Amino acid sequence: MHYKDKFVGIKINGFCNGYFGRDDYDDKIIIASGSNWIVALDDRGNNCFASFDDGEEMEERILQWSNDESY
């Protein structure tokens, strides 16, 4: 599947299973995505990067994080 910029504009909530670091609890907006990575802008204006094993895992995680604030 083609993931380039597919997720741009999606808000993801909170900790995100630690994919952005163990101390990052800010909400984020995805500003770029590739085959197995995303770049997001957090509430403080910082760019945040997360990578995944594959595109399917990335898509599943983004769906979880955008729908549930407990992640």
Side-chain angles (χ1 to χ4, degrees), residues 1 57 59:
M1 178 171 261
E57 177 198 4
E59 190 164 25

Side-chain angles (χ1 to χ4, degrees), residues 10-14 16 20 26-28 30 38 40 62 65-66:
I10 294 176
K11 179 182 177 185
I12 51 180
N13 303 303
C16 300
F20 294 95
D26 292 334
D27 291 343
K28 300 157 197 64
I30 298 173
I38 58 175
I62 291 170
W65 299 338
S66 65

Side-chain angles (χ1 to χ4, degrees), residues 22-48:
R22 65 182 184 177
D23 297 325
D24 190 345
Y25 288 84
D26 292 334
D27 291 343
K28 300 157 197 64
I29 300 289
I30 298 173
I31 58 173
S33 65
S35 60
N36 68 339
W37 56 267
I38 58 175
V39 176
L41 187 65
D42 71 16
D43 289 341
R44 293 174 285 160
N46 298 315
N47 290 323
C48 309

